[in-house]
């Protein structure tokens, strides 16, 4: 069972992701509303996959991605953010995120992204 | 190595190996043959010398004896005898057992014992013949021939003894034809050896020729095979090159490979040159190529983006949205007269060779037309459907979530407002404020997007853009925040309009619920009250739409408690009929109205009001083209309602009254809304039934008006109905 952690400062988005996750073998183990909270929980739950918002209070997504990859280089991070600035999202990928999903997203898009990442994790 | 021994090179490698083996064999054979020839030559020479020596020995023996007998010097023949003896004996010995002897040229040579049986036999007999002679010659060999003159020597004992020995030796040599026999034997040996040598030479020559022939055949096989294969591979390569060339010449896309240094590959599609307006793109750095035609910031982001593909972490399918070059505006030509703006779309795909990333395959398209079309479409869509979209958006959201969102957004916007009001100074503080505001707006935008509230999302996005634009300014002043305040107001206003829309929907729903309850209780004939106005508006709009007209309907007092129960049904029927006729016949198309300086939108007003207790008045008025009396006259005559004579004498009022005749229509085309000639007669019948009166007034090109007066209803009648 792969463990999923959801990081987003919007309650609505968190709920949406949580509800939409229909990929076999993926289980939501933690949610966090900002980078600081996420990093507190990260070592406790050791998630395999993380969905990461970029603009959050306390600590934004870019720094959080960098710190998570330092802790666990094998963690798979999917940035889920409204596409306001491509450079910021690319910065997150440079720091170690694996993919990007643009808000708003459909359930199908989200699940496809998860499958895409899991497949790569299994065979890559 | 594995690649060489298998596959297309295998046959060639094997052939070449065989060629080398044959060549080496011939070479070794040659070496052996050369050695053999040298040995044979030596042996034949030595055997020939034995033959000569056998005679010279006897000759020297006789000469010595002769010299001694005649008193001459004996040293020359005696030395001759000695050297011949030694040479003969040594050589015989060497032939028999092998060893070193003096060669014919004076140098020592190594001789092997003769091994072929015939030669061996001859040798044995030679030795048998030689041994007695050898024995008899011994004293001569031991004799020291220093004595000068034989005349003196013969006087001595030694001379006498020598003479005796000589005589004995001659006797032995000639006894039983030994000298002849020796000569025969040595001659036979020589001849035999010569024959053997010739035979061996012939045999070796055959082997040599065969080896060379094989090597040659092999060489030609290699040559043939190699050339054939080479031709085959050349043809294949040429075919592949041609196909690739054709593809690259034909495709409309710019296609090329990009290496990790951002260099364009040498093979690229012909279209690429057209897209970038320059030739010789092979080896050119893509980033340098784009420099100057796309903004510097985009260029930096593009470089980062491309470099992500050369790393291992990112998933190709999940970063397409971030491609900064998927729709990039480019400007060609520094000369302002030639300055041209185009849009290019780039696509990047990893090329894997043996699971290793070798290049990126890049596809470029000129998407200028597509972008223009998309923008046009977007604009028209946005124009036409903003309000409806908002309504539809709201209808799809769970009420709880929507309320959540509205409260949250208002809170966020309130927070922004207080951030804006907070006194601040200094660029750092300003920047911090902008960051905070951006975060709040971003959350609103994200949630609006998630809920599908596009209009709110767009407004929030515009606000975000504004913030980003201020953030990029080199210096920020307090006054820069002013546009933010205005924009914030706009967003807030929009959210409030959403709230109002929601409130109206709730009202509508409540009313709808109530009316459907009422409908169950009420008489089935009576229409739901709230439906009346909407029904009329819908009808007016639908007919106007179908006929390409625009109309604005204004109704007063047509519904609700002002209308007596008994009049509601007829009133509705009449109103709908008026609308149908009015839009079809009265209201002109927008173009026509424009020419008449009336404004494109036609106006229809309907009013129902009590007349000071004496009854009611229901009026209809439109600002259309008015009744065409001439047309009515013509139609009435054509359709046989009146005769041509009658019409000439009729008053205007009477002519107008013709429109209330059953089957009368001036419309040539029958549609769902007009033309069947039923309509105005329905109104007249209704008015008659209700004991009312109808009056028509019209002005050509200005208006048509109907006024219907209806009597007051006795209270018992009201109740009965």
């Amino acid at each position: 069972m792969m463990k999923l952690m959801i990081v987003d400062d919007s309650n609505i988005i968190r709920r949406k992701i949580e509800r939409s996750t229909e990929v076999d073998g993926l289980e939501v183990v933690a949610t966090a509303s900002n980078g600081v909270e996420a990093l507190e929980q990260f070592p406790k739950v050791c998630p395999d996959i993380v969905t990461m918002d970029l603009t959050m209070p306390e600590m934004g997504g870019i720094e959080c991605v960098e710190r998570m990859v330092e802790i666990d280089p094998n963690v798979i991070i999917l940035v889920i953010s409204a596409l306001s600035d491509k450079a910021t999202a690319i910065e997150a990928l440079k720091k170690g995120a694996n993919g990007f999903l643009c808000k708003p997203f459909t359930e199908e898009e989200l699940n496809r992204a998860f499958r895409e990442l899991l497949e790569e994790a299994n065979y890559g | 190595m594995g690649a060489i021994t298998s596959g297309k090179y295998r046959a060639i490698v094997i052939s070449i190996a065989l060629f080398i083996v044959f060549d080496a064999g011939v070479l070794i054979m040659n070496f052996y043959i050369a050695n053999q020839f040298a040995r044979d030559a030596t042996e034949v020479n030595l055997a020939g010398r034995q033959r000569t020596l056998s005679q010279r020995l006897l000759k020297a023996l006789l000469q010595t004896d002769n010299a001694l007998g005649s008193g001459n010097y004996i040293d020359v023949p005696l030395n001759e005898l000695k050297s011949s003896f030694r040479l003969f004996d040594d050589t015989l010995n060497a032939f028999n057992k092998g060893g070193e002897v003096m060669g014919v040229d004076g140098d020592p040579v190594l001789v092997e014992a003769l091994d072929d049986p015939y030669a061996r036999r001859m040798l044995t007999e030679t030795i048998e013949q030689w041994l007695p002679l050898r024995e008899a010659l011994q004293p001569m060999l031991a004799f020291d021939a220093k004595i000068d003159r034989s005349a003196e020597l013969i006087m001595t004992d030694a001379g006498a003894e020598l003479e005796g020995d000589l005589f004995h030796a001659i006797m032995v040599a000639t006894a039983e034809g030994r000298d002849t026999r020796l000569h025969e034997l040595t001659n036979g040996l020589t001849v035999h050896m010569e024959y053997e040598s010739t035979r061996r030479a012939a045999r070796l020559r055959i082997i040599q020729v065969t080896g060379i022939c094989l090597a040659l055949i092999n060489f030609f096989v290699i040559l043939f095979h190699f050339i054939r294969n080479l031709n085959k591979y050349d043809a294949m390569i040429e075919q592949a090159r041609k196909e690739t060339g054709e593809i690259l010449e034909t495709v409309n896309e710019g296609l090329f490979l990009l290496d990790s240094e951002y260099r364009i590959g040498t093979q690229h599609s012909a279209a690429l040159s057209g897209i970038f307006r320059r030739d010789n793109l092979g080896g050119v750095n893509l980033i340098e190529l784009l420099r100057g035609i796309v903004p510097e910031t985009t260029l930096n982001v593009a470089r980062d983006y491309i470099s992500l593909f050369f790393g291992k972490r990112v998933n190709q399918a999940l970063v397409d949205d971030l491609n900064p070059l998927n729709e990039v505006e480019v400007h060609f030509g520094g000369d302002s007269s030639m300055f041209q703006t185009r849009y290019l779309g780039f696509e990047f795909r990893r090329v894997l060779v043996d699971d290793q990333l070798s290049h990126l395959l890049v596809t470029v398209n000129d998407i200028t037309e597509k972008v223009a079309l998309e923008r046009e479409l977007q604009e028209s869509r946005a124009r036409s459907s903003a309000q409806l979209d908002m309504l539809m958006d709201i209808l799809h959201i769970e009420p709880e979530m929507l309320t959540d969102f509205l409260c949250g957004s208002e809170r966020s916007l309130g927070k922004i407002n207080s951030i804006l009001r907070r006194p601040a100074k200094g660029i750092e503080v300003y920047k911090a404020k902008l960051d905070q505001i951006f975060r709040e707006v971003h959350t609103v935008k994200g949630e609006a997007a998630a809920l599908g509230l596009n209009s709110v999302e767009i407004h929030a996005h515009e606000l975000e853009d504004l913030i980003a634009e201020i953030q990029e300014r080199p210096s920020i002043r307090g006054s820069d925040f002013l546009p933010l305040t205005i924009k914030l107001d706009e967003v807030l206003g929009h959210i409030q309009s959403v709230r109002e829309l929601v409130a109206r929907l709730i009202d509508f729903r409540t009313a709808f619920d109530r009316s459907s309850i009422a409908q169950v209780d009420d008489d089935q004939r009576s229409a739901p009250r709230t439906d009346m106005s909407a029904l009329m508006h819908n009808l007016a709009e639908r007919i106007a739409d179908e006929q390409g007209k625009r109309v604005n309907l204004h109704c007063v007092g047509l519904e609700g408690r002002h209308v007596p129960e008994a009049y509601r049904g007829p009133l509705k029927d009449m109103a709908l009929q008026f609308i149908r006729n009015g839009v079809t016949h009265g209201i002109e198309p927008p173009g026509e109205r424009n020419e008449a300086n009336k404004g494109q939108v036609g106006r229809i007003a309907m009013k129902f009001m009590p007349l000071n207790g004496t009854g009611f008045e229901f009026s209809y008025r439109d600002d259309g083209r008015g009744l065409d009396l001439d047309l009515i006259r013509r139609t009435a005559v054509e359709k046989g309602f009146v005769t041509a004579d009658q019409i000439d004498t009729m008053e205007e009022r009477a002519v107008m009254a013709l429109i209330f005749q059953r089957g009368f229509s001036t419309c040539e085309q029958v549609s769902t809304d007009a033309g069947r000639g039923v309509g105005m007669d329905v109104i007249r019948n209704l008015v008659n039934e209700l004991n009312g009166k109808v009056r028509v007034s019209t002005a050509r090109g200005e208006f048509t008006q109907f006024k219907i007066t209806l009597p007051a209803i006795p209270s018992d009648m009201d109740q009965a109905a």
Side-chain angles (χ1 to χ4, degrees), chain B residues 42-43 46 49 90-103 108-114:
Chain B
T42 310
E43 283 179 354
L46 290 179
R49 193 177 64 186
D90 283 354
T91 307
L92 197 61
N93 218 24
F95 276 152
N96 190 30
K97 291 175 179 164
E100 208 179 58
V101 290
M102 173 81 76
V109 287
L110 202 64
V111 178
E112 283 175 38
L114 294 183

Side-chain angles (χ1 to χ4, degrees), chain B residues 46-47 74 131 139 147 154 165 167 244 246 273 275 363 376 420 441 457 463 467 530 545 554 622 635 701 705:
Chain B
L46 290 179
I74 63 162
L131 280 178
I147 299 150
I154 204 142
D165 288 343
F167 179 74
T244 314
E246 279 171 9
S273 297
I275 289 171
T363 319
E376 220 169 272
L420 284 170
V441 178
E457 189 197 355
L463 186 51
I467 297 167
T530 45
D545 263 356
H554 185 68
D622 67 49
T635 313
Q705 180 171 291

Side-chain angles (χ1 to χ4, degrees), chain B residues 28 61-62 163 213 226 229 325 395 406 408 439 485 524 527 534:
Chain B
I28 290 165
L61 184 65
L62 289 173
E163 194 171 22
C213 283
F226 192 70
N229 277 355
L325 298 178
L395 286 175
L406 289 172
R439 248 192 336 264
T485 321
Q524 288 295 313

